[in-house]
Amino acid sequence: DSAAVKLSNVIQRYPTEFALAAATVMIAQQVAGKAARDALFLSHFDVVELPKVMIAAALISLLGVLTMSHLLTRFGPGRAVPAAFCASAALFAVERLLLSGLPGLTASVLYLHMTGFGAIVISGFWSLINERFDPHTAKPRIARIAAGAALGGLLGGVLARFVAEDLGFPSMLVLLCALNLVCALIIVALGSAQRSAAHAHGGEVGSG
């Protein structure tokens, strides 16, 4: 309990830095995951199959956005977003297990997975940021967080270049699973710090 209290105090003191770290890791795994998704799919299917899986992925993404909107309204981003990252991490783990025996199926599932969860976790993350920071001081903080996201895009490209090419797709899937868990942990901490601050002021933090 004392360790949790200390962590909450640190996050309350440096919320922008933790949010920046989450944005960096989140976009890094998105960029690396999309690169792995495309490379794996095109290594097992002809390019003419790409429009079909894109249409299916768009439909799944639409369903996912509607579902996430409901979850954000009911549970709030502090709970819904980490759950989405954990679900994504679990899918990466399953895909890693399926890859050696069913590479074609894995390529299709990974494509749907990355497309479906991409918009969900990013929009959910920014919903949390909108609720976490005071609107009067949010503008410079959000600029820094967006800079972290840009850095994440660069790091994601580097990861895709070296991990996928040098270590292979299995290692990339394990890394993506780990990055999603890191995102979930940071966002859980941000949400916990927000709730602690609300209790300290004798009330709940209102939703944006």
Side-chain angles (χ1 to χ4, degrees), residues 98-133:
L98 293 175
L99 181 60
S100 58
L102 299 168
L105 176 62
T106 304
S108 299
V109 172
L110 178 62
Y111 201 102
L112 300 176
H113 168 197
M114 283 304 306
T115 305
F117 273 82
I120 289 175
V121 295
I122 292 175
S123 63
F125 170 78
W126 286 110
S127 295
L128 176 68
I129 296 302
N130 288 334
E131 292 194 356
R132 179 63 180 81
F133 295 105

Side-chain angles (χ1 to χ4, degrees), residues 6-15 18 132 186 189-190 193:
K6 290 179 180 179
L7 178 60
S8 178
N9 291 336
V10 171
I11 296 171
Q12 289 182 37
R13 188 175 180 180
Y14 304 105
F18 277 85
R132 179 63 180 81
I186 297 175
L190 281 170

Side-chain angles (χ1 to χ4, degrees), residues 33-177:
K34 287 181 179 180
R37 172 200 72 183
D38 294 343
L40 185 62
F41 187 85
L42 293 175
S43 66
H44 290 90
F45 296 97
D46 192 271
V47 69
V48 297
E49 300 296 327
L50 192 57
K52 300 176 184 178
V53 74
M54 289 177 66
I55 293 172
L59 294 175
I60 290 177
S61 181
L62 176 60
L63 179 61
V65 168
L66 294 175
T67 303
M68 189 63 172
S69 298
H70 173 72
L71 295 176
L72 288 173
T73 302
R74 183 172 182 180
F75 300 106
R79 294 177 180 174
V81 179
F85 275 113
C86 288
S88 182
L91 281 174
F92 280 122
V94 171
E95 289 154 6
R96 170 62 185 88
L97 294 174
L98 293 175
L99 181 60
S100 58
L102 299 168
L105 176 62
T106 304
S108 299
V109 172
L110 178 62
Y111 201 102
L112 300 176
H113 168 197
M114 283 304 306
T115 305
F117 273 82
I120 289 175
V121 295
I122 292 175
S123 63
F125 170 78
W126 286 110
S127 295
L128 176 68
I129 296 302
N130 288 334
E131 292 194 356
R132 179 63 180 81
F133 295 105
D134 184 340
H136 298 290
T137 61
K139 188 174 181 179
R141 294 172 182 262
I142 289 177
R144 293 176 62 188
I145 296 168
L151 175 62
L154 175 62
L155 294 177
V158 173
L159 288 174
R161 166 64 178 81
F162 290 102
V163 176
E165 289 193 12
D166 296 342
L167 301 179
F169 288 114
S171 297
M172 175 59 79
L173 293 175
V174 172
L175 176 62
L176 291 171
C177 176

